[in-house]
Amino acid sequence: MESASIVLSHRLGPRSAPAIDKSTTMVLSLQEILIVGNCSDQVKFSELTLDMFRMLQTLEREPQEDTTQIYDVSPAPGRVPFENGDRSLKRENPHKYLLYKPTFSQLTVFLASGFKELPANGVMLLYISADGCFSNVKHPEDAGYDLGGVVTNSKREVEHSNKRTVQLKDMHCLYPGDLYPITRKPLFIIVDSDNSHAFQVMPRYFGQPLFILMSAEDIPSTFHDQQHKGNLFTLFLHSPLTAFCFICNIVDVSISLWEECQMQVDRVLTETARLMIRSRNLDPAFVQFFGDDFLRLLLLRFVFCFITLKLHRSFKGPNFYPRSQPPIPELDILEHPSLHKGVLEIASLLNVRPLFFESGEAD
């Protein structure tokens, strides 16, 4: 039996996100999703890159009829299933747009459509997996456009200017400033790119909740030839344990060991949720998003990703770590000893502890 193949589900199941006692401010729910992909050297099938497919699965609910699947997700002990046997309580999936290499005009049309369809207390999630569009501005003044962005389409436009001195920006580069208008409603952004940090200074002009998760801008050279298999940050958001095994060069894991490690991942995520609920230093926007099952799971997996990479000996320096805006408190959460201990226990279970610093040693 140990050598038998097994199908793992990556959708949101009844026990996926750790249960929390929702406060009165946790009223937002994920309703509209745009998944955008344009990584030049990434494996794709049909009109989906691997990153797009992984995020699509992550943002889907597990069909309630299927109770025989083995969940590769993050169960919380004592979690009550969504339905409790009552079909009337079935929850629908958020509405999604899948955009592979969209032009700027196509992207803005779908952004406007998603924005228009948002109900009261609804959240739009914009996920972008794309190559970076880098700026050559030596002294940036406008953070919305002078720091570059991400390329959504490689189509070349005809230049109508005859002035060689004019510096034209890329037509199909999505800049942070392009997203300012849609921050009139709650917006959750995930950017997986080598220029993701260009999005870390987006202002909240309209006072609505805004949260941004950004990938690391670099990875160790030993992983460069693996990038066609999908981006590491997206893999962590999709399946934390798979990503953990990937950076430790673990290819084969027995079913029993996988389940034991997955239980430990679950404990780390549950403890992370507990610390977040207790923290008094979290931005109010974070708390508002935390009530939604999908967004809560993404935020918890982000923390797991940060801590894992921070402790791994191959990832040295800030450019190798993901970021969020607003930042998640370091002392309360990202540097908390219990979370570091939990991640290191996974390394011990997989017999790869030497690849990681001891807690506190990474600093």
Side-chain angles (χ1 to χ4, degrees):
M1 288 297 295
E2 285 294 319
S3 62
S5 297
I6 184 171
V7 177
L8 300 173
S9 172
H10 297 278
R11 296 186 179 95
L12 183 73
R15 298 176 180 272
S16 294
I20 59 170
D21 294 326
K22 293 186 180 181
S23 68
T24 55
T25 60
M26 295 180 182
V27 296
L28 298 178
S29 65
L30 183 60
Q31 297 291 328
E32 297 287 326
I33 299 172
L34 274 77
I35 297 177
V36 181
N38 181 33
C39 288
S40 57
D41 62 347
Q42 193 171 117
V43 170
K44 78 176 188 73
F45 47 95
S46 185
E47 293 298 296
L48 287 176
T49 64
L50 194 53
D51 279 353
M52 292 175 69
F53 176 76
R54 284 172 173 164
M55 191 51 58
L56 175 62
Q57 292 290 301
T58 303
L59 297 172
E60 282 280 318
R61 296 189 187 279
E62 191 68 51
Q64 294 297 308
E65 297 81 10
D66 190 355
T67 59
T68 60
Q69 283 277 14
I70 292 181
Y71 294 99
D72 174 25
V73 287
S74 308
R79 173 81 183 205
V80 178
F82 289 129
E83 293 189 338
N84 264 346
D86 185 353
R87 295 289 301 174
S88 65
L89 297 179
K90 183 176 181 179
R91 300 181 62 178
E92 299 298 325
N93 283 307
H95 180 238
K96 302 177 186 67
Y97 301 95
L98 303 177
L99 305 177
Y100 175 63
K101 293 191 174 183
T103 62
F104 177 75
S105 60
Q106 290 170 335
L107 182 55
T108 52
V109 165
F110 285 102
L111 281 171
S113 179
F115 179 88
K116 178 183 177 182
E117 296 299 322
L118 271 186
N121 295 326
V123 178
M124 181 160 65
L125 185 151
L126 173 61
Y127 166 83
I128 308 170
S129 166
D131 299 324
C133 172
F134 297 93
S135 171
N136 54 11
V137 178
K138 293 183 179 179
H139 304 289
E141 296 180 359
D142 184 353
Y145 292 93
D146 288 350
L147 300 177
V150 292
V151 180
T152 62
N153 189 288
S154 55
K155 182 179 178 181
R156 306 299 296 181
E157 298 292 331
V158 178
E159 295 183 4
H160 299 288
S161 174
N162 293 322
K163 298 179 180 180
R164 295 185 178 181
T165 57
V166 175
Q167 292 290 329
L168 296 177
K169 285 182 165 56
D170 194 315
M171 171 71 77
H172 302 299
C173 176
L174 180 70
Y175 296 92
D178 295 329
L179 300 177
Y180 290 175
I182 62 172
T183 61
R184 286 174 167 84
K185 293 183 179 181
L187 181 62
F188 195 98
I189 303 174
I190 302 173
V191 185
D192 196 341
S193 172
D194 50 359
N195 193 33
S196 63
H197 297 174
F199 290 79
Q200 68 181 341
V201 289
M202 285 183 61
R204 278 187 270 187
Y205 286 127
F206 305 99
Q208 290 287 344
L210 172 66
F211 209 88
I212 309 168
L213 300 182
M214 296 159 281
S215 69
E217 291 193 326
D218 201 0
I219 58 173
S221 57
T222 52
F223 299 109
H224 283 177
D225 61 350
Q226 302 291 318
Q227 288 183 284
H228 66 284
K229 298 180 180 179
N231 285 322
L232 182 60
F233 183 57
T234 295
L235 185 57
F236 265 104
L237 297 181
H238 174 66
S239 174
L241 184 53
T242 302
F244 194 100
C245 291
F246 176 79
I247 64 171
C248 297
N249 198 30
I250 298 173
V251 178
D252 297 314
V253 180
S254 68
I255 295 174
S256 58
L257 179 56
W258 177 272
E259 291 178 342
E260 186 178 3
C261 291
Q262 186 60 57
M263 288 178 62
Q264 181 59 28
V265 172
D266 301 338
R267 295 188 192 101
V268 173
L269 298 189
T270 300
E271 175 65 6
T272 304
R274 188 185 69 83
L275 293 173
M276 286 177 167
I277 292 297
R278 292 179 55 188
S279 176
R280 296 294 178 263
N281 298 314
L282 282 169
D283 188 276
F286 180 98
V287 179
Q288 288 175 279
F289 287 122
F290 204 60
D292 181 87
D293 291 333
F294 286 112
L295 300 180
R296 180 163 70 254
L297 192 57
L298 290 171
L299 290 166
L300 296 175
R301 288 176 175 177
F302 170 87
V303 172
F304 182 89
C305 173
F306 180 93
I307 294 174
T308 300
L309 299 184
K310 185 76 180 289
L311 291 174
H312 198 288
R313 294 181 184 273
S314 296
F315 295 78
K316 302 175 182 178
N319 279 348
F320 292 94
Y321 311 142
R323 299 184 187 182
S324 70
Q325 182 60 35
I328 294 176
E330 291 192 8
L331 289 179
D332 290 3
I333 299 167
L334 296 180
E335 300 294 341
H336 199 279
S338 67
L339 300 184
H340 285 220
K341 180 182 178 183
V343 169
L344 291 175
E345 286 179 7
I346 299 171
S348 296
L349 288 170
L350 292 168
N351 199 28
V352 290
R353 187 65 174 264
L355 297 179
F356 292 82
F357 292 110
E358 294 299 321
S359 183
E361 183 185 353
D363 300 330

